[in-house]
Amino acid sequence: MRATTIHAPFDMRVEDVPEPLVQLPTDAVVRVLRACICGSDLWAYRGESARQPGQRIGHEFLGIVEETGSEVTGVGTGDLVVAPFVWSDGICDYCREGLTTSCVHGGFWGAVGYDGGQGEAVRVPFADGTLVPLPKDAASDDHLLSALLTLSDVMGTGHHAALGAGVRKGATVAVVGDGAVGLCAVLAAKRLGAERIIALGRHEVRTDIARRFGATDVVAARGEEAVAAVRELTRGQGAHAVVEAVGTEQSMRTAVDIARDGGAIGFVGVPHGSGTGLDLGVMFDRNIALRGGVAPVRTYIPELLPDILDGTIDPSPVFDLTVGLEGVPDGYKAMDERTALKVLVTNG
């Protein structure tokens, strides 16, 4: 089959690799219909996170179950399923508590020796704990497939950020970051009943999506200028709930500075850079809470899925470029150059 591999910084290839096979009785093989490129994939693409030459890549996909191991009972051949970006057994203590990303048997797609989502098929460990069935008729609805694909990562991660920030009905929310996760956090905040949502971003195409998703205000600034603008919009007090969806020192510092005393920050931006931008003394004095991390999206899929199916939320606008599998290297280039927000990958 064909699959995306990474060989060096900026060297992405689509190559012939062995077809995946059921190796354990808890496995399934999924034929990928839709995948995508994540902003976090760009750290490997740019050489800022290590990869072995030829390693697979991609952690967001949905598709059709092609084969199952003898112990798999939750999904069957022919089922349409979505996979969260981490596989998990569904039965360990962490999984039972909803923290599937800490599963003692879990792992990330594209890890050494495992398939990545940006390929024609994937071997899925612990299929019963990992895969979530979708309505079969969704397979013929391109628009719905795009929306459902966001459940594999960005919609669930945006929801995780909103929960970490303590978004509630009537709250004022600020979202730092106009990438796909930040935009989905706007949508999640709206879904949870936020009254005012301030989106921080400087790319008009993206902030237009933020407004479509529920943002009431846009701050097209960074650093001290952004802090001053948010303070002005909130009578000098800041936001009850702040989402940090970038991961840089500056973005975290901005998040702290625009949080209201007694507020909370939900952080889901993958940290990178020389520091965190956190001053615990400031957070202590102002009673600011911090919660977030790797989103256990498997836990959130059953809650979010019905709202996508009935049209209550539609995250699909985060995809603004579509490529076939052979076009994945061009998709990386487009996202790296910021000519694309998030790239959808189609397989038939």
Side-chain angles (χ1 to χ4, degrees):
M1 71 167 190
R2 303 287 283 171
T4 306
T5 56
I6 181 168
H7 291 261
F10 307 103
D11 184 3
M12 310 298 298
R13 306 177 194 176
V14 180
E15 301 181 305
D16 290 327
V17 301
E19 285 271 359
L21 301 171
V22 167
Q23 298 178 16
L24 298 171
T26 51
D27 287 351
V29 172
V30 173
R31 183 67 52 178
V32 176
L33 290 180
R34 297 289 184 275
C36 52
I37 301 173
C38 183
S40 64
D41 292 332
L42 295 180
W43 301 120
Y45 179 70
R46 295 166 179 159
E48 296 183 41
S49 59
R51 294 291 188 277
Q52 293 185 7
Q55 190 171 337
R56 307 284 182 82
I57 195 166
H59 55 259
E60 301 159 283
F61 66 94
L62 58 75
I64 304 293
V65 176
E66 201 165 68
E67 184 182 1
T68 61
S70 60
E71 295 180 13
V72 177
T73 60
V75 298
T77 302
D79 285 351
L80 178 67
V81 293
V82 63
F85 64 83
V86 171
W87 71 78
S88 52
D89 63 20
I91 58 174
C92 75
D93 287 347
Y94 288 115
C95 286
R96 291 182 184 277
E97 294 166 6
L99 193 61
T100 52
T101 49
S102 291
C103 176
V104 295
H105 298 119
F108 289 81
W109 310 114
V112 175
Y114 291 90
D115 297 322
Q118 294 160 18
E120 289 185 313
V122 176
R123 179 178 77 87
V124 177
F126 301 103
D128 280 341
T130 301
L131 299 173
V132 179
L134 303 171
K136 289 187 178 182
D137 56 3
S140 60
D141 187 332
D142 284 341
H143 182 89
L144 182 56
L145 280 180
S146 296
L148 292 169
L149 179 58
T150 66
L151 292 172
S152 65
D153 187 346
V154 289
M155 187 63 228
T157 298
H159 179 67
H160 185 60
L163 294 180
V167 174
R168 62 188 185 277
K169 188 174 181 179
T172 294
V173 180
V175 177
V176 182
D178 60 3
V181 168
L183 294 174
C184 285
V186 171
L187 190 57
K190 178 69 173 178
R191 177 181 175 275
L192 292 170
E195 182 176 316
R196 190 173 197 182
I197 304 172
I198 304 166
L200 281 69
R202 301 193 298 178
H203 303 86
E204 188 173 352
V205 171
R206 300 182 180 197
T207 54
D208 283 348
I209 297 174
R211 289 189 185 278
R212 180 175 172 181
F213 281 1
T216 55
D217 304 271
V218 169
V219 170
R222 287 184 180 176
E224 294 181 4
E225 185 181 352
V227 173
V230 173
R231 290 282 173 180
E232 183 177 353
L233 288 169
T234 57
R235 295 181 294 117
Q237 295 181 342
H240 300 105
V242 179
V243 167
E244 193 287 310
V246 181
T248 64
E249 184 170 346
Q250 182 188 61
S251 63
M252 183 60 83
R253 184 177 292 116
T254 296
V256 172
D257 289 345
I258 64 177
R260 179 189 177 102
D261 287 16
I265 299 168
F267 73 105
V268 292
V270 179
H272 52 277
S274 59
T276 64
L278 285 176
D279 185 332
L280 293 181
V282 170
M283 297 181 70
F284 181 87
D285 290 343
R286 297 177 51 217
N287 281 280
I288 295 173
L290 179 68
R291 189 171 181 84
V294 185
V297 299
R298 175 61 181 83
T299 298
Y300 301 138
I301 291 174
E303 176 184 351
L304 298 171
L305 175 58
D307 283 2
I308 288 181
L309 293 176
D310 69 14
T312 300
I313 58 174
D314 178 12
S316 64
V318 299
F319 297 111
D320 60 348
L321 177 63
T322 299
V323 299
L325 182 58
E326 300 298 328
V328 167
D330 291 335
Y332 273 87
K333 186 173 186 291
M335 284 182 63
D336 182 53
E337 295 175 350
R338 299 184 74 85
T339 59
L341 166 61
K342 189 169 181 64
V343 174
L344 178 69
V345 182
T346 61
N347 277 338

